């Protein structure tokens, strides 16, 4: 099995008794980082990253009123951020690839656009640059992106009191 490193953001910081219950439930491989946005840094052994995240989420839910609000991955990037992560391309180069002025086309679409700022998925950009442009960069783990999206969807559904409807839509869409 592999040991997976990731962080899980929380809706609130657990108190001492809750933390002890989580530790006893098996979260001895996670360290709590407090503050305005508390989270667990985890080193979980599992077959897959999604299995590791799911096991931590299950343990967190054993404490009433405590839940995950996200899974750490830092996937959202501007083209400037992507250039810095890449280290070998400039923001201008990535902009030309994104607009189709250079390269084979098919650059990943932005996740979101607002006020002349586009936010892209680093996992998608890095995969595209590796496979389409032959760039020598490490792959981003897309499973963290998927886990984070699922946790955030669950939070939105909970906030809107629409858990069963969202679960039904997810089942139909699967």
């Amino acid at each position: 099995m592999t040991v997976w490193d990731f962080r899980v953001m929380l809706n609130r910081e657990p108190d001492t008794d809750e933390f002890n219950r989580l530790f006893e439930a098996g979260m001895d491989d996670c360290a709590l980082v407090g503050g305005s946005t508390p989270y667990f840094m985890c080193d979980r052994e599992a077959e897959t990253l999604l299995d590791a995240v799911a096991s931590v989420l299950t343990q967190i839910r054993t404490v009433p009123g405590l839940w995950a609000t996200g899974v750490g991955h830092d996937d959202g990037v501007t083209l400037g951020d992507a250039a810095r992560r890449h280290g070998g391309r400039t923001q201008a180069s990535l902009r030309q690839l994104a607009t189709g002025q250079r390269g084979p086309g098919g650059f990943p679409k932005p996740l979101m656009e607002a006020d002349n700022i586009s936010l892209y998925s680093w996992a998608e950009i890095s995969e595209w640059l590796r496979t389409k442009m032959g760039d020598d960069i490490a792959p981003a783990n897309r499973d963290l992106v998927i886990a984070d999206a699922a946790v955030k969807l669950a939070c939105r559904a909970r906030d809107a009191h629409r858990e069963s409807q969202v679960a039904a839509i997810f089942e139909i869409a699967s």
Side-chain angles (χ1 to χ4, degrees), residues 34-62:
S36 61
T37 308
Y39 62 93
F40 278 110
M41 283 298 304
C42 300
D43 297 315
R44 180 62 53 106
E45 186 174 339
E47 288 290 325
T48 70
L49 177 56
L50 290 175
D51 290 338
V53 170
S55 67
V56 169
L57 297 176
T58 300
Q59 290 168 334
I60 289 170
R61 291 298 292 173
T62 64

Side-chain angles (χ1 to χ4, degrees), residues 55-158:
S55 67
V56 169
L57 297 176
T58 300
Q59 290 168 334
I60 289 170
R61 291 298 292 173
T62 64
V63 174
L66 185 68
W67 60 81
T69 59
V71 177
H73 62 83
D74 300 326
D75 184 56
V77 295
T78 64
L79 293 178
D81 296 331
R84 283 186 287 284
R85 285 191 188 185
H86 185 286
R89 288 194 178 269
T90 64
Q91 181 177 354
S93 168
L94 292 175
R95 187 178 304 111
Q96 289 174 335
L97 292 169
T99 60
Q101 293 173 310
R102 293 185 49 220
F107 191 85
K109 300 287 183 212
L111 299 172
M112 180 178 69
E113 295 179 287
D115 296 331
N116 295 325
I117 296 174
S118 297
L119 192 65
Y120 295 84
S121 164
W122 172 245
E124 292 176 6
I125 289 175
S126 63
E127 176 71 16
W128 187 87
L129 289 169
R130 250 190 345 282
T131 60
K132 302 296 184 187
M133 300 299 292
D135 291 9
D136 185 23
I137 54 176
N141 194 319
R142 296 185 79 157
D143 286 350
L144 280 178
V145 176
I146 292 167
D148 185 57
V151 167
K152 287 183 173 152
L153 176 60
C155 287
R156 285 184 173 185
R158 183 182 311 106

Side-chain angles (χ1 to χ4, degrees), residues 149-172:
V151 167
K152 287 183 173 152
L153 176 60
C155 287
R156 285 184 173 185
R158 183 182 311 106
D159 290 346
H161 306 287
R162 299 285 190 270
E163 297 95 334
S164 61
Q165 292 94 339
V166 171
I169 290 170
F170 182 78
E171 183 66 29
I172 293 165

